Amino acid sequence: MASGRGTAMIAAKEKITPGQFMMTVIQAQIGVGVLFLPSSVQSVAFNDAWISVILSGVTAFLLILVMWGLARRFPSVTFLEYLPLLLGKVFGKTVLVFYAAFFILECSLVLVLFADVIKDWIFTNTPTWVILSLALIASLYIAQENIRTIARFLVLTFVLIFLLVIIAAYAFRDANILYILPINQSGFPSILKGVVKSMNSFYGFEMLLFCFPYVLGEGKSILKATVLANIFSTLFYTFLVFTCLIVFSPEELKVIPQPVLYMVKALSFTIIERADLYFMTIWAVVVVSTVIAYLFMSSRTISVLLGQKKHRRTAPYVALFILIISLIPHNQEMINVLQTYVGILSGALLVGFPLILLGISYGFGIKGKEQPG
Amino acid sequence: MKKRWARIGLRAGLCGFFLLCGCWDQHLLKDERNVSIGGMDAGQGDKLVATVSIRDITTTELGSKDLSEVHTVLARTTQHARDLLNDEVSGDYSNSKMRVLLLGEELAKNHDFMPHMDVYYRDPKSPLSARVAVTQGTAKEMVELRKIGSRTIGLYIDNLLKSSVDTSSIPDVNIQTLHPLDRGYDFAVPYLTIKDSMPSLLGTALFSGTRMTGKLNLDESKLYLLLCDQIGKTLKLTLKSNTPSAPDGYEYVTVDVNKAKRKFKVTVTKDGEIRARLHLRLRVTVVEDPSNHLYKMAVMHDLERHLSRELTSNAQDVVEKIQRANHDGFGIARRLMSFHPKVWEQLDWNKEYPRIPFDTSVSLQIINTGITD
């Protein structure tokens, strides 16, 4: 029972501020979706895709409330430690295996999509394993460290997201607002389908489960930080989807998988051409940030499963495992299969399960100790 | 000690990654032969005649000299043409720096040229910002001019088109904006000819769907751009003045458009009749008017009234012409899709469009007369 309690006391030098936490969540949320979200949501919700994205943001907000409600009851330990308290040791560990599988698969999916885009757009002849290992090695370097180091790095690269906004905003030059009219043409069921499709881009707020005890300040300020992060990501995604919808006609979006890149590709400034390459350079950092977050979460989970206190040792093996998994899919069909698995797992583990846990916690009155100090 | 060496080794290994740069996707400018202008013509059967001019710069002690090397191939598709050209040309053939794509009139009029464009939209390195123009006669003749003065044909035509776009004589189109999928409006491209073995502008070629169906001369083309609300940096109109029986040299007035405001409304009456209202308000500066002395308000207002009338009648002619060509440059189809989706679904657009009654009017206001009145 006490195996997980060893880390209950968190050293002050591992703590992060709510501001740092906010940017960590943003970075975990914003990732490959930047390029894929517009056309994947558009394929089901058509010109109302932007409404779907906003609704996904609202859904994410509700899920954050649930997770926060859960984490608040165990203020001094992380999810990995209180899960066995709620479910019993054996069942708790079994569930953790699923969580570990989900984080690993999600991380692999992000990398597969990343490598796919890089190969399609820039490095056609470079072998996939090179692209994947380079991204993973860079991520591993940071993900091995403690939360504070990770958060600091993510704060540093946060600025880049604004550069993406600036480059994309330039495409408004060719925009035609008429493309999104009439609003609600596709009908509510299609918009809901779009919500399901876009949810995957909003995951990342589960960092809350891992970071809660590490964040300085009261529970309320942590909630505020997470919600603000979610609002930022929602606005960012909505902006991108909206821009793509008004720049490309519906028929065009069907055949363009990465409309954001396509949109900026034809931009030509006085001394800069091929704005898509600049966009992708920045996007690569944003993706690596997401990979860092997932690599961190998966290696933490695996460490707990193996009874290790630190995740520094386990992280390289997890990274290797992720690399192997991401090398498997070699065509679109297999990527779709992977996407479906991740979708099912995330639905169960990030939507359904926290609700059940919250119910158990309240129903049986299981609570963690008050945070010392 | 051992650990330290391991770390140093790791870092040295990481530095080794920089050497990967040249391994797979290296394209050296010195090995590439860059096309500056490409032309497509209809060949026998459904074949394609592709003509390209490759720009070479030779530097001697006397300075650098531009050379233009022209190749023509008969191919099945655009990609096939590229492969054939690559076999013919010494060095690696590359069209990623192409500035202009010419279409022969025969190809534009009697064939669907869109299949030939597919590879431009699919290839990540394709020159999406290359300008597109139709040439009277064949594109081959045009490219075979090789050099005009000291400039190669590609640069010459690119600059010709660029400056004419700035003065709003022709629409600003590139390969990207041509993407024709279900936009709800038709595109128009510049129309070139060869005059005294020099390329020169004739006006605008109007397309209906993917076929060229009509053309406008330079005067009509300017008015067309005004009506489409697509003016470039400046726009000057030279019109007949209101002084009948004026001696030679006194009969014209030139105005510079400072501000153009377009009101465009598409309405559907209860019995399903579509109507379009197009009203243009111009604020102009008189830059040349030898016959009038505009210090008298009455004279100026007379001139305003006269020019408004003349422009209105010219605009009506342009609208009639584009309707006859079945060219929907104003995007009426898009407006119907957006505001009246039910009407749109039941429409036989190609039959309906030429019959739509247009209510076109232009009103003009002189706000400046230069440094003399």
Side-chain angles (χ1 to χ4, degrees):
Chain A
M1 183 84 187
S3 70
R5 289 293 181 81
T7 51
M9 284 294 286
I10 292 159
K13 66 172 180 155
E14 283 190 35
K15 292 257 181 183
I16 57 175
T17 65
Q20 284 174 325
F21 178 61
M22 181 180 85
M23 292 183 198
T24 309
V25 173
I26 291 175
Q27 292 273 24
Q29 283 190 305
I30 296 177
V32 273
V34 171
L35 297 186
F36 290 92
L37 191 63
S39 65
S40 75
V41 185
Q42 199 270 346
S43 67
V44 287
F46 309 105
N47 54 356
D48 295 322
W50 60 284
I51 304 176
S52 299
V53 176
I54 293 178
L55 289 181
S56 299
V58 175
T59 318
F61 167 69
L62 296 176
L63 295 176
I64 286 169
L65 279 185
V66 173
M67 285 186 184
W68 176 75
L70 190 62
R72 198 175 57 142
R73 292 178 70 81
F74 303 92
S76 58
V77 285
T78 66
F79 177 70
L80 302 171
E81 287 134 5
Y82 61 72
L83 191 69
L85 289 181
L86 289 170
L87 294 176
K89 212 171 175 187
V90 177
F91 190 54
K93 287 229 164 169
T94 323
V95 172
L96 269 190
V97 171
F98 279 99
Y99 272 95
F102 165 66
F103 292 136
I104 286 174
L105 284 180
E106 171 83 35
C107 193
S108 312
L109 179 64
V110 167
L111 283 165
V112 166
L113 294 174
F114 173 72
D116 210 34
V117 172
I118 297 287
K119 274 191 81 116
D120 277 354
W121 284 80
I122 329 176
F123 301 125
T124 343
N125 299 322
T126 307
T128 316
W129 65 267
V130 174
I131 299 170
L132 287 173
S133 358
L134 284 174
L136 264 172
I137 288 168
S139 313
L140 181 63
Y141 185 68
I142 307 275
Q144 275 186 325
E145 302 297 323
N146 62 30
I147 287 181
R148 188 180 230 185
T149 317
I150 294 174
R152 282 178 174 172
F153 174 76
L154 297 183
V155 169
L156 202 66
T157 54
F158 174 69
V159 197
L160 294 175
I161 292 176
F162 291 99
L163 281 179
L164 294 186
V165 173
I166 292 170
I167 299 179
Y170 204 77
F172 267 88
R173 216 178 44 151
D174 311 315
N176 183 355
I177 194 85
L178 291 179
Y179 286 145
I180 61 150
L181 294 170
I183 289 166
N184 196 19
Q185 186 182 29
S186 47
F188 202 63
S190 307
I191 293 179
L192 276 187
K193 267 189 221 161
V195 172
V196 175
K197 275 249 177 186
S198 56
M199 259 334 270
N200 194 40
S201 299
F202 281 89
Y203 295 140
F205 52 78
E206 64 268 27
M207 279 300 267
L208 187 64
L209 297 175
F210 287 79
C211 296
F212 192 91
Y214 291 92
V215 186
L216 289 165
E218 285 173 58
K220 266 192 187 155
S221 62
I222 299 173
L223 178 68
K224 208 170 128 195
T226 326
V227 170
L228 278 178
N230 188 52
I231 290 173
F232 181 88
S233 309
T234 311
L235 286 179
F236 177 72
Y237 278 138
T238 312
F239 166 76
L240 282 181
V241 171
F242 192 81
T243 315
C244 290
L245 285 175
I246 60 176
V247 169
F248 294 109
S249 75
E251 290 291 317
E252 283 172 302
L253 274 176
K254 265 185 213 160
V255 293
I256 303 175
Q258 292 99 32
V260 181
L261 286 180
Y262 217 92
M263 173 168 93
V264 298
K265 180 169 163 24
L267 298 182
S268 171
F269 305 92
T270 320
I271 45 166
I272 299 173
E273 262 188 35
R274 293 283 315 262
D276 55 321
L277 295 180
Y278 294 86
F279 193 96
M280 249 190 291
T281 314
I282 299 165
W283 173 76
V285 181
V286 175
V287 172
V288 163
S289 307
T290 311
V291 174
I292 289 171
Y294 277 102
L295 190 56
F296 171 75
M297 289 195 274
S298 48
S299 44
R300 278 303 293 259
T301 316
I302 301 247
S303 307
V304 168
L305 279 173
L306 298 177
Q308 295 258 341
K309 266 186 194 170
K310 298 248 169 179
H311 70 285
R312 180 177 270 282
R313 289 277 186 78
T314 26
Y317 298 101
V318 176
L320 190 67
F321 192 55
I322 289 172
L323 174 68
I324 293 168
I325 294 181
S326 355
L327 282 172
I328 299 171
H330 47 74
N331 58 18
Q332 192 55 48
E333 218 164 300
M334 290 176 86
I335 296 177
N336 290 345
V337 171
L338 183 62
Q339 235 155 359
T340 321
Y341 284 146
V342 171
I344 294 168
L345 273 176
S346 61
L349 297 175
L350 298 183
V351 183
F353 223 72
L355 267 174
I356 299 172
L357 290 177
L358 189 67
I360 293 175
S361 173
Y362 273 100
F364 294 90
I366 306 173
K367 259 179 98 165
K369 277 192 280 183
E370 278 303 308
Q371 197 161 12
Chain B
M1 215 35 200
K2 203 177 154 197
K3 221 174 175 182
R4 204 177 138 211
W5 282 112
R7 282 196 168 184
I8 292 173
L10 188 71
R11 271 167 210 178
L14 286 178
C15 290
F17 280 125
F18 287 106
L19 299 176
L20 287 179
C21 297
C23 278
W24 297 280
D25 285 287
Q26 182 173 260
H27 302 278
L28 292 177
L29 204 54
K30 70 179 170 74
D31 298 331
E32 289 201 353
R33 303 296 305 281
N34 281 296
V35 169
S36 68
I37 185 168
M40 292 185 190
D41 287 304
Q44 278 176 331
D46 53 356
K47 290 241 174 100
L48 172 78
V49 178
T51 314
V52 294
S53 151
I54 293 168
R55 186 182 172 209
D56 259 328
I57 303 172
T58 51
T59 318
T60 60
E61 290 98 59
L62 299 169
S64 61
K65 204 175 163 195
D66 271 357
L67 290 172
S68 170
E69 183 182 319
V70 174
H71 293 271
T72 304
V73 291
L74 180 68
R76 292 175 211 132
T77 63
T78 311
Q79 185 55 47
H80 186 223
R82 284 185 189 181
D83 296 341
L84 291 177
L85 284 165
N86 199 13
D87 294 341
E88 203 174 299
V89 170
S90 79
D92 294 335
Y93 173 84
S94 151
N95 75 345
S96 53
K97 288 275 162 206
M98 191 170 81
R99 305 257 194 128
V100 185
L101 177 68
L102 295 176
L103 303 170
E105 194 172 356
E106 159 71 14
L107 177 75
K109 266 188 177 156
N110 301 328
H111 299 262
D112 184 356
F113 73 98
M114 273 305 156
H116 303 314
M117 301 296 286
D118 182 74
V119 67
Y120 287 105
Y121 300 116
R122 227 173 259 279
D123 174 13
K125 284 207 292 267
S126 81
L128 281 185
S129 50
R131 297 176 194 282
V132 182
V134 171
T135 60
Q136 201 180 32
T138 62
K140 186 166 178 270
E141 293 165 39
M142 185 71 91
V143 177
E144 277 175 350
L145 294 176
R146 280 165 202 269
K147 277 176 85 174
I148 313 292
S150 61
R151 269 195 263 182
T152 57
I153 182 79
L155 284 184
Y156 188 91
I157 294 185
D158 185 39
N159 283 337
L160 174 72
L161 294 175
K162 185 166 178 283
S163 65
S164 307
V165 164
D166 286 347
T167 56
S168 321
S169 303
I170 47 169
D172 186 10
V173 281
N174 55 34
I175 295 181
Q176 164 104 322
T177 57
L178 225 59
H179 211 216
L181 286 165
D182 185 43
R183 291 209 165 187
Y185 59 86
D186 290 323
F187 53 80
V189 305
Y191 187 47
L192 295 163
T193 188
I194 302 174
K195 207 166 95 188
D196 303 331
S197 53
M198 295 261 264
S200 101
L201 265 181
L202 271 186
T204 299
L206 302 174
F207 280 73
S208 174
T210 54
R211 303 249 171 136
M212 177 178 159
T213 48
K215 49 199 168 196
L216 299 175
N217 64 30
L218 282 172
D219 285 335
E220 292 166 335
S221 173
K222 277 185 182 174
L223 211 48
Y224 166 75
L225 290 177
L226 270 175
L227 293 171
C228 287
D229 207 11
Q230 281 180 13
I231 51 176
K233 283 186 183 144
T234 59
L235 192 151
K236 289 193 179 68
L237 293 165
T238 300
L239 299 155
K240 252 205 152 112
S241 179
N242 58 342
T243 40
S245 71
D248 286 352
Y250 283 91
E251 55 199 321
Y252 290 103
V253 51
T254 305
V255 294
D256 185 358
V257 176
N258 296 47
K259 210 174 171 187
K261 233 182 172 176
R262 183 185 75 151
K263 268 193 188 157
F264 179 42
K265 232 182 158 172
V266 177
T267 49
V268 180
T269 57
K270 274 187 191 135
D271 29 309
E273 199 191 352
I274 303 158
R275 288 167 172 280
R277 247 197 92 218
L278 196 55
H279 179 66
L280 194 63
R281 266 171 59 195
L282 303 178
R283 286 185 173 183
V284 303
T285 301
V286 174
V287 289
E288 186 183 41
D289 184 10
S291 61
N292 281 311
H293 297 290
L294 300 169
Y295 54 86
K296 273 190 212 156
M297 275 303 157
V299 177
M300 196 158 99
H301 289 315
D302 261 358
L303 183 65
E304 279 176 353
R305 263 195 299 277
H306 171 80
L307 292 180
S308 301
R309 256 202 314 275
E310 197 180 326
L311 280 172
T312 301
S313 102
N314 290 354
Q316 281 163 352
D317 291 346
V318 169
V319 168
E320 205 192 304
K321 217 167 174 176
I322 69 169
Q323 267 189 306
R324 229 183 300 134
N326 210 349
H327 167 84
D328 180 18
F330 305 130
I332 295 184
R334 187 69 246 169
R335 276 170 197 254
L336 289 175
M337 285 179 212
S338 295
F339 297 116
H340 308 280
K342 280 186 190 132
V343 177
W344 171 254
E345 274 166 29
Q346 293 159 356
L347 223 54
D348 183 358
W349 182 239
N350 285 335
K351 268 193 189 152
E352 196 65 38
Y353 177 69
R355 288 202 299 239
I356 294 175
F358 267 79
D359 176 12
T360 319
S361 60
V362 184
S363 70
L364 177 144
Q365 197 188 355
I366 296 172
I367 56 162
N368 197 344
T369 56
I371 53 174
T372 55
D373 271 334

